[in-house]
Coordinates of all heavy atoms in Angstrom, one line a residue:
M1006 N -62.7 -29.2 46.5 CA -62.4 -27.8 46.2 C -61.7 -27.6 44.9 O -60.9 -28.4 44.5 CB -61.4 -27.2 47.3 CG -61.7 -25.8 47.6 SD -60.4 -25.1 48.7 CE -61.0 -25.5 50.3
S1007 N -62.1 -26.5 44.2 CA -61.6 -26.3 42.8 C -60.2 -25.8 42.9 O -59.7 -25.3 43.9 CB -62.5 -25.4 42.0 OG -62.2 -24.0 42.5
G1008 N -59.5 -25.9 41.8 CA -58.1 -25.4 41.7 C -58.0 -23.9 42.0 O -57.0 -23.5 42.7
V1009 N -59.0 -23.1 41.6 CA -58.9 -21.7 41.8 C -59.0 -21.4 43.3 O -58.3 -20.5 43.8 CB -60.1 -21.0 41.1 CG1 -60.2 -19.5 41.4 CG2 -59.9 -21.1 39.6
L1010 N -59.9 -22.1 44.0 CA -60.0 -21.9 45.4 C -58.7 -22.3 46.2 O -58.3 -21.5 47.0 CB -61.2 -22.7 46.0 CG -62.5 -22.0 45.9 CD1 -63.6 -23.0 46.4 CD2 -62.5 -20.8 46.8
W1011 N -58.1 -23.4 45.8 CA -56.8 -23.8 46.4 C -55.8 -22.7 46.2 O -55.0 -22.4 47.0 CB -56.3 -25.1 45.8 CG -56.8 -26.3 46.5 CD1 -57.6 -27.3 46.0 CD2 -56.6 -26.5 47.9 NE1 -57.9 -28.2 47.0 CE2 -57.3 -27.7 48.2 CE3 -55.9 -25.9 48.9 CZ2 -57.3 -28.3 49.5 CZ3 -55.9 -26.4 50.2 CH2 -56.6 -27.6 50.5
Q1012 N -55.8 -22.1 45.0 CA -54.8 -21.1 44.7 C -55.1 -19.9 45.6 O -54.1 -19.2 46.0 CB -54.9 -20.6 43.2 CG -53.7 -19.9 42.7 CD -53.8 -19.6 41.3 OE1 -54.3 -20.4 40.5 NE2 -53.3 -18.4 40.9
M1013 N -56.3 -19.5 45.9 CA -56.6 -18.4 46.8 C -56.1 -18.7 48.2 O -55.5 -17.9 48.9 CB -58.1 -18.2 46.8 CG -58.6 -17.3 45.7 SD -60.4 -17.1 45.7 CE -60.6 -16.3 47.3
V1014 N -56.3 -20.0 48.6 CA -55.8 -20.4 49.9 C -54.3 -20.3 50.0 O -53.7 -19.8 51.0 CB -56.3 -21.8 50.3 CG1 -55.7 -22.3 51.6 CG2 -57.8 -21.8 50.4
D1015 N -53.7 -20.8 49.0 CA -52.2 -20.8 48.9 C -51.7 -19.3 48.8 O -50.7 -19.0 49.4 CB -51.7 -21.6 47.7 CG -51.7 -23.1 48.0 OD1 -51.9 -23.5 49.2 OD2 -51.6 -23.8 47.0
H1016 N -52.5 -18.5 48.1 CA -52.1 -17.1 48.0 C -52.0 -16.4 49.4 O -51.1 -15.8 49.7 CB -53.1 -16.4 47.1 CG -52.8 -15.0 46.8 ND1 -51.7 -14.6 46.0 CD2 -53.4 -13.8 47.2 CE1 -51.6 -13.2 46.0 NE2 -52.6 -12.8 46.7
R1017 N -53.1 -16.7 50.2 CA -53.1 -16.1 51.5 C -52.0 -16.7 52.4 O -51.4 -16.0 53.2 CB -54.5 -16.5 52.1 CG -55.2 -15.2 52.6 CD -56.4 -15.6 53.4 NE -57.6 -15.5 52.5 CZ -58.8 -16.0 52.8 NH1 -58.9 -16.7 53.9 NH2 -59.8 -15.8 52.0
F1018 N -51.8 -18.0 52.3 CA -50.8 -18.7 53.0 C -49.4 -18.1 52.7 O -48.6 -17.7 53.6 CB -50.8 -20.2 52.7 CG -49.7 -20.9 53.5 CD1 -49.9 -21.4 54.7 CD2 -48.5 -21.1 52.9 CE1 -49.0 -22.1 55.4 CE2 -47.5 -21.8 53.5 CZ -47.7 -22.3 54.8
T1019 N -49.1 -17.9 51.4 CA -47.9 -17.4 51.0 C -47.6 -15.9 51.5 O -46.6 -15.6 52.0 CB -47.7 -17.4 49.4 OG1 -47.9 -18.8 49.0 CG2 -46.4 -16.8 49.0
K1020 N -48.7 -15.1 51.4 CA -48.5 -13.7 51.9 C -48.3 -13.7 53.4 O -47.5 -12.9 53.9 CB -49.8 -12.9 51.5 CG -49.8 -12.5 50.1 CD -50.7 -11.3 49.9 CE -52.2 -11.5 50.2 NZ -53.0 -10.4 49.8
A1021 N -49.0 -14.6 54.1 CA -48.9 -14.6 55.6 C -47.5 -15.1 56.0 O -47.0 -14.7 57.1 CB -50.0 -15.4 56.1
H1022 N -46.9 -15.9 55.2 CA -45.6 -16.6 55.7 C -44.4 -16.2 54.8 O -43.4 -16.9 54.9 CB -45.8 -18.1 55.7 CG -46.9 -18.6 56.6 ND1 -46.7 -18.6 58.0 CD2 -48.2 -18.9 56.4 CE1 -47.9 -19.0 58.5 NE2 -48.8 -19.2 57.6
A1023 N -44.5 -15.1 54.0 CA -43.5 -14.8 53.1 C -42.1 -14.5 53.9 O -41.1 -15.0 53.5 CB -43.8 -13.6 52.3
S1024 N -42.2 -13.8 55.0 CA -40.9 -13.5 55.7 C -40.4 -14.7 56.3 O -39.2 -14.9 56.4 CB -41.1 -12.4 56.7 OG -42.0 -12.7 57.7
E1025 N -41.3 -15.6 56.9 CA -40.8 -16.8 57.5 C -40.1 -17.7 56.4 O -39.1 -18.4 56.7 CB -41.9 -17.6 58.1 CG -42.4 -17.0 59.4 CD -43.9 -17.0 59.6 OE1 -44.5 -16.3 58.8 OE2 -44.4 -17.8 60.4
Y1026 N -40.7 -17.7 55.2 CA -40.1 -18.5 54.1 C -38.7 -18.0 53.8 O -37.8 -18.8 53.7 CB -41.0 -18.4 52.9 CG -40.4 -18.9 51.6 CD1 -40.3 -20.3 51.4 CD2 -39.8 -18.1 50.7 CE1 -39.7 -20.8 50.3 CE2 -39.2 -18.6 49.5 CZ -39.2 -20.0 49.3 OH -38.6 -20.5 48.2
L1027 N -38.5 -16.7 53.7 CA -37.2 -16.1 53.4 C -36.2 -16.4 54.5 O -35.0 -16.5 54.3 CB -37.3 -14.7 53.1 CG -38.1 -14.3 51.8 CD1 -38.2 -12.8 51.6 CD2 -37.3 -14.9 50.6
D1028 N -36.7 -16.4 55.8 CA -35.9 -16.7 56.9 C -35.6 -18.2 57.1 O -34.8 -18.5 58.0 CB -36.5 -16.2 58.2 CG -36.5 -14.6 58.3 OD1 -35.8 -14.0 57.5 OD2 -37.3 -14.1 59.1
G1029 N -36.2 -19.0 56.3 CA -36.0 -20.4 56.4 C -36.6 -21.0 57.6 O -36.2 -22.1 58.1
E1030 N -37.7 -20.4 58.0 CA -38.4 -20.9 59.3 C -39.6 -21.8 59.0 O -40.2 -22.3 59.9 CB -38.9 -19.7 60.1 CG -37.7 -19.0 60.8 CD -38.2 -17.6 61.4 OE1 -39.3 -17.3 61.3 OE2 -37.3 -16.9 61.9
L1031 N -39.9 -22.0 57.7 CA -41.0 -22.9 57.4 C -40.6 -24.4 57.3 O -39.4 -24.6 57.0 CB -41.6 -22.5 56.1 CG -42.3 -21.1 56.0 CD1 -42.9 -20.9 54.6 CD2 -43.4 -21.0 57.1
S1032 N -41.5 -25.3 57.6 CA -41.2 -26.7 57.4 C -41.1 -27.0 56.0 O -41.7 -26.3 55.1 CB -42.3 -27.5 58.1 OG -43.5 -27.3 57.5
P1033 N -40.5 -28.1 55.6 CA -40.3 -28.5 54.2 C -41.6 -28.5 53.4 O -41.7 -28.0 52.3 CB -39.7 -29.9 54.2 CG -38.9 -29.9 55.5 CD -39.7 -29.0 56.5
P1034 N -42.7 -29.1 53.9 CA -44.0 -29.1 53.2 C -44.5 -27.6 53.0 O -45.1 -27.3 52.0 CB -45.0 -29.9 54.1 CG -44.2 -30.6 55.1 CD -42.9 -29.9 55.2
E1035 N -44.3 -26.8 54.0 CA -44.8 -25.4 53.9 C -43.9 -24.6 52.8 O -44.5 -23.9 52.0 CB -44.6 -24.7 55.2 CG -45.7 -25.2 56.2 CD -45.5 -24.7 57.6 OE1 -44.3 -24.4 58.0 OE2 -46.4 -24.5 58.4
R1036 N -42.6 -24.9 52.8 CA -41.8 -24.3 51.8 C -42.2 -24.7 50.4 O -42.3 -23.8 49.5 CB -40.3 -24.7 52.0 CG -39.6 -24.2 53.2 CD -38.1 -24.6 53.2 NE -37.4 -23.9 52.2 CZ -37.0 -22.7 52.3 NH1 -37.1 -22.0 53.4 NH2 -36.4 -22.1 51.3
E1037 N -42.5 -26.0 50.3 CA -42.9 -26.5 49.0 C -44.2 -25.8 48.5 O -44.4 -25.5 47.4 CB -43.2 -28.0 49.2 CG -43.0 -28.8 47.9 CD -43.1 -30.3 48.2 OE1 -42.2 -30.8 48.8 OE2 -44.2 -30.9 47.8
R1038 N -45.1 -25.6 49.5 CA -46.4 -24.9 49.2 C -46.1 -23.5 48.7 O -46.7 -23.1 47.7 CB -47.2 -24.9 50.5 CG -48.6 -24.5 50.3 CD -49.4 -24.6 51.5 NE -50.7 -24.1 51.4 CZ -51.6 -24.0 52.4 NH1 -51.3 -24.4 53.6 NH2 -52.8 -23.5 52.2
V1039 N -45.3 -22.8 49.4 CA -44.9 -21.4 49.0 C -44.3 -21.4 47.6 O -44.7 -20.6 46.7 CB -44.0 -20.7 50.0 CG1 -43.4 -19.4 49.5 CG2 -44.8 -20.5 51.3
E1040 N -43.4 -22.3 47.4 CA -42.6 -22.4 46.1 C -43.6 -22.7 44.9 O -43.5 -22.2 43.9 CB -41.5 -23.4 46.2 CG -40.3 -22.7 46.8 CD -39.3 -23.8 47.4 OE1 -39.4 -25.0 47.0 OE2 -38.4 -23.4 48.1
R1041 N -44.5 -23.7 45.2 CA -45.4 -24.1 44.2 C -46.3 -22.9 43.8 O -46.6 -22.7 42.7 CB -46.3 -25.3 44.7 CG -47.0 -26.0 43.6 CD -47.7 -27.2 44.1 NE -48.6 -26.8 45.2 CZ -48.7 -27.5 46.4 NH1 -48.0 -28.5 46.6 NH2 -49.5 -27.0 47.3
H1042 N -46.8 -22.2 44.9 CA -47.7 -21.1 44.6 C -47.0 -19.9 43.9 O -47.5 -19.4 42.9 CB -48.3 -20.5 45.9 CG -49.2 -19.4 45.7 ND1 -50.4 -19.5 45.0 CD2 -49.0 -18.1 45.9 CE1 -50.9 -18.3 44.9 NE2 -50.1 -17.4 45.5
T1043 N -45.7 -19.6 44.3 CA -45.1 -18.5 43.6 C -44.7 -18.8 42.2 O -44.6 -17.9 41.4 CB -43.7 -18.1 44.4 OG1 -43.0 -19.3 44.6 CG2 -44.0 -17.4 45.7
S1044 N -44.6 -20.1 41.8 CA -44.4 -20.4 40.5 C -45.6 -20.1 39.6 O -45.4 -20.0 38.3 CB -44.0 -21.9 40.3 OG -45.1 -22.7 40.6
V1045 N -46.8 -20.0 40.1 CA -47.9 -19.7 39.3 C -48.5 -18.3 39.6 O -49.5 -17.8 39.0 CB -49.1 -20.7 39.5 CG1 -48.6 -22.1 39.0 CG2 -49.5 -20.8 41.0
C1046 N -48.0 -17.6 40.7 CA -48.6 -16.3 41.1 C -47.6 -15.2 41.0 O -46.7 -15.1 41.8 CB -49.1 -16.4 42.5 SG -49.9 -14.9 43.1
P1047 N -47.7 -14.3 40.0 CA -46.7 -13.2 39.8 C -46.7 -12.2 41.0 O -45.7 -11.7 41.3 CB -47.2 -12.5 38.5 CG -48.1 -13.5 37.9 CD -48.7 -14.4 38.9
K1048 N -47.9 -12.1 41.6 CA -48.0 -11.2 42.7 C -47.1 -11.6 43.9 O -46.4 -10.8 44.5 CB -49.4 -11.0 43.2 CG -50.2 -10.1 42.4 CD -51.6 -9.9 43.0 CE -52.5 -9.1 42.1 NZ -53.9 -9.2 42.6
C1049 N -47.2 -12.9 44.2 CA -46.4 -13.4 45.3 C -44.9 -13.5 45.0 O -44.1 -13.3 45.8 CB -46.9 -14.8 45.7 SG -48.5 -14.7 46.7
R1050 N -44.6 -13.7 43.7 CA -43.3 -13.7 43.2 C -42.7 -12.3 43.5 O -41.6 -12.2 44.0 CB -43.2 -14.1 41.8 CG -41.9 -14.9 41.5 CD -42.0 -15.7 40.2 NE -42.7 -15.2 39.1 CZ -43.7 -15.8 38.4 NH1 -44.0 -17.0 38.8 NH2 -44.3 -15.2 37.4
A1051 N -43.4 -11.3 43.1 CA -43.0 -9.9 43.4 C -42.9 -9.6 44.8 O -41.9 -8.9 45.3 CB -44.0 -8.9 42.7
L1052 N -43.8 -10.1 45.6 CA -43.8 -9.9 47.1 C -42.5 -10.5 47.7 O -41.8 -9.8 48.4 CB -45.0 -10.5 47.7 CG -45.0 -10.5 49.2 CD1 -45.3 -9.1 49.8 CD2 -46.1 -11.5 49.8
L1053 N -42.2 -11.7 47.3 CA -41.0 -12.4 47.8 C -39.7 -11.6 47.4 O -38.8 -11.5 48.1 CB -41.0 -13.8 47.4 CG -41.8 -14.8 48.1 CD1 -41.7 -16.2 47.6 CD2 -41.5 -14.8 49.6
A1054 N -39.8 -11.2 46.1 CA -38.6 -10.5 45.6 C -38.3 -9.2 46.3 O -37.2 -8.9 46.7 CB -38.8 -10.2 44.1
S1055 N -39.4 -8.4 46.6 CA -39.2 -7.2 47.3 C -38.8 -7.4 48.8 O -38.0 -6.6 49.3 CB -40.4 -6.3 47.2 OG -41.5 -6.9 47.8
L1056 N -39.4 -8.4 49.4 CA -39.0 -8.7 50.8 C -37.6 -9.1 50.8 O -36.8 -8.7 51.7 CB -39.9 -9.9 51.3 CG -41.2 -9.5 52.0 CD1 -41.9 -10.8 52.4 CD2 -40.9 -8.7 53.3
R1057 N -37.2 -10.0 49.9 CA -35.8 -10.4 49.9 C -34.8 -9.2 49.7 O -33.8 -9.2 50.3 CB -35.6 -11.4 48.7 CG -34.2 -12.1 48.8 CD -34.1 -13.2 47.7 NE -34.9 -14.4 48.0 CZ -35.6 -15.1 47.2 NH1 -35.8 -14.7 46.0 NH2 -36.2 -16.2 47.6
R1058 N -35.2 -8.3 48.8 CA -34.4 -7.1 48.6 C -34.3 -6.3 49.8 O -33.2 -5.8 50.2 CB -35.0 -6.3 47.4 CG -34.0 -5.3 46.8 CD -34.4 -5.0 45.4 NE -35.8 -4.6 45.3 CZ -36.8 -5.1 44.5 NH1 -36.4 -6.0 43.7 NH2 -38.0 -4.6 44.5
M1059 N -35.4 -6.2 50.5 CA -35.4 -5.4 51.8 C -34.5 -6.0 52.8 O -33.7 -5.4 53.5 CB -36.8 -5.4 52.3 CG -37.1 -4.2 53.2 SD -38.9 -4.1 53.4 CE -39.2 -5.4 54.6
I1060 N -34.5 -7.4 52.9 CA -33.7 -8.1 53.9 C -32.2 -7.9 53.5 O -31.4 -7.7 54.4 CB -34.1 -9.6 53.9 CG1 -35.5 -9.7 54.6 CG2 -33.0 -10.4 54.6 CD1 -36.0 -11.1 54.4
E1061 N -31.9 -8.0 52.2 CA -30.5 -7.8 51.8 C -30.0 -6.4 52.0 O -28.8 -6.3 52.3 CB -30.4 -8.3 50.3 CG -30.4 -9.8 50.1 CD -30.6 -10.2 48.7 OE1 -30.7 -9.3 47.8 OE2 -30.6 -11.4 48.4
T1062 N -30.8 -5.4 51.8 CA -30.3 -4.1 51.9 C -30.3 -3.6 53.3 O -29.7 -2.6 53.6 CB -31.2 -3.1 51.0 OG1 -32.5 -3.3 51.3 CG2 -31.0 -3.4 49.5
L1063 N -31.1 -4.2 54.2 CA -31.1 -3.8 55.6 C -30.7 -5.0 56.5 O -31.5 -5.4 57.3 CB -32.5 -3.3 55.9 CG -33.0 -2.1 55.2 CD1 -34.5 -1.9 55.5 CD2 -32.3 -0.9 55.6
P1064 N -29.5 -5.4 56.4 CA -29.1 -6.6 57.1 C -29.0 -6.3 58.6 O -29.1 -7.3 59.4 CB -27.7 -6.9 56.6 CG -27.2 -5.6 56.1 CD -28.4 -4.8 55.6
T1065 N -29.0 -5.1 59.0 CA -28.9 -4.8 60.5 C -30.2 -4.5 61.1 O -30.3 -4.1 62.3 CB -27.9 -3.6 60.7 OG1 -28.4 -2.5 60.0 CG2 -26.5 -4.0 60.3
L1066 N -31.3 -4.6 60.3 CA -32.6 -4.2 60.8 C -33.0 -5.0 62.0 O -33.5 -4.5 63.0 CB -33.6 -4.4 59.7 CG -35.0 -3.8 59.9 CD1 -34.9 -2.3 60.0 CD2 -36.0 -4.2 58.9
A1067 N -32.8 -6.3 62.0 CA -33.1 -7.2 63.1 C -32.4 -6.9 64.3 O -32.9 -7.0 65.4 CB -32.9 -8.6 62.7
A1068 N -31.1 -6.4 64.1 CA -30.3 -6.1 65.3 C -30.6 -4.8 65.9 O -30.3 -4.5 67.0 CB -28.8 -6.1 64.9
Q1069 N -31.3 -3.9 65.1 CA -31.6 -2.6 65.5 C -33.1 -2.4 65.3 O -33.5 -1.7 64.4 CB -30.9 -1.5 64.8 CG -29.4 -1.7 64.9 CD -28.6 -0.7 64.0 OE1 -29.1 -0.2 63.1 NE2 -27.3 -0.5 64.3
P1070 N -34.0 -3.0 66.2 CA -35.4 -2.9 66.0 C -36.0 -1.5 66.2 O -37.1 -1.3 65.8 CB -35.9 -3.9 67.0 CG -34.9 -3.9 68.1 CD -33.6 -3.7 67.4
R1071 N -35.2 -0.6 66.8 CA -35.8 0.7 67.1 C -35.3 1.7 66.2 O -34.1 2.1 66.1 CB -35.4 1.1 68.5 CG -36.1 2.3 69.1 CD -35.8 2.4 70.6 NE -36.5 1.3 71.3 CZ -36.1 0.8 72.4 NH1 -34.9 1.1 72.9 NH2 -36.8 -0.2 73.0
P1072 N -36.2 2.3 65.4 CA -35.8 3.4 64.4 C -35.3 4.6 65.2 O -35.7 4.8 66.4 CB -37.1 3.7 63.7 CG -38.1 2.7 64.1 CD -37.6 2.0 65.3
S1073 N -34.5 5.4 64.5 CA -33.9 6.5 65.2 C -34.9 7.5 65.7 O -34.7 8.2 66.7 CB -32.9 7.2 64.2 OG -33.6 7.6 63.1
V1074 N -36.0 7.7 65.0 CA -37.0 8.6 65.4 C -37.6 8.2 66.8 O -37.7 9.1 67.7 CB -38.2 8.7 64.4 CG1 -39.4 9.5 65.0 CG2 -37.8 9.2 63.1
E1075 N -37.8 7.0 66.9 CA -38.4 6.5 68.2 C -37.3 6.6 69.3 O -37.7 7.0 70.4 CB -38.7 5.0 68.0 CG -39.6 4.5 69.2 CD -40.0 3.0 69.0 OE1 -40.1 2.6 67.8 OE2 -40.1 2.3 70.0
A1076 N -36.1 6.4 69.0 CA -35.0 6.6 70.0 C -34.9 8.0 70.4 O -34.7 8.3 71.6 CB -33.7 6.2 69.4
G1077 N -35.1 9.0 69.5 CA -35.1 10.4 69.8 C -36.3 10.7 70.8 O -36.1 11.5 71.7
V1078 N -37.4 10.2 70.5 CA -38.6 10.4 71.4 C -38.3 9.9 72.8 O -38.6 10.5 73.8 CB -39.9 9.7 70.8 CG1 -41.0 9.7 71.8 CG2 -40.3 10.4 69.5
L1079 N -37.8 8.7 72.8 CA -37.4 8.1 74.1 C -36.4 8.9 74.9 O -36.6 9.2 76.1 CB -36.9 6.7 73.9 CG -37.9 5.6 73.6 CD1 -37.2 4.3 73.4 CD2 -38.9 5.4 74.8
A1080 N -35.5 9.5 74.2 CA -34.4 10.3 74.8 C -35.1 11.6 75.4 O -34.8 12.0 76.5 CB -33.3 10.7 73.8
R1081 N -36.0 12.1 74.6 CA -36.7 13.3 75.1 C -37.6 13.0 76.3 O -37.6 13.8 77.2 CB -37.5 13.9 73.9 CG -37.9 15.3 74.2 CD -38.4 16.0 72.9 NE -39.5 15.4 72.3 CZ -39.5 14.9 71.0 NH1 -38.5 15.1 70.2 NH2 -40.6 14.3 70.5
L1082 N -38.3 11.9 76.2 CA -39.1 11.5 77.4 C -38.3 11.4 78.6 O -38.7 11.8 79.7 CB -39.8 10.2 77.1 CG -41.1 10.3 76.2 CD1 -41.6 8.9 75.9 CD2 -42.1 11.1 76.9
R1083 N -37.1 10.8 78.5 CA -36.3 10.5 79.6 C -35.8 11.9 80.2 O -35.7 12.1 81.4 CB -35.1 9.7 79.2 CG -34.5 8.8 80.3 CD -33.5 7.8 79.7 NE -34.2 6.7 78.9 CZ -33.7 6.3 77.7 NH1 -32.6 6.8 77.2 NH2 -34.3 5.4 77.0
R1084 N -35.4 12.8 79.3 CA -34.9 14.1 79.7 C -36.0 14.9 80.4 O -35.8 15.5 81.5 CB -34.4 14.8 78.5 CG -33.4 16.0 78.9 CD -32.9 16.6 77.6 NE -34.0 17.1 76.7 CZ -34.1 17.0 75.4 NH1 -33.1 16.4 74.8 NH2 -35.1 17.4 74.7
D1085 N -37.2 14.9 79.8 CA -38.3 15.7 80.4 C -38.8 15.1 81.6 O -39.3 15.8 82.5 CB -39.4 15.8 79.3 CG -39.0 16.6 78.1 OD1 -37.9 17.2 78.2 OD2 -39.7 16.6 77.1
G1086 N -38.8 13.7 81.7 CA -39.3 13.1 82.9 C -38.4 13.3 84.1 O -38.8 13.2 85.2
Ligands
LIG496 ZN1 -50.2 -15.4 45.4

């Protein structure tokens, strides 16, 4: 396989596993793959940067999976039902 094709495969892999990478859920070889790819791919570097910023600015997101809009809908459903 040519280098360009490998880069496409790594590109897909990196996009698919970006959040796992940031969460430290990837195995060492997988992390290495993501890091090697982001060093040559500005798009994936930007993707990781924006994901990381999102994680940092919304630290309670994981603890509160339900947005307030959805909570309001549920409350209304409960009241009407
Ligand atoms: Zn990429």
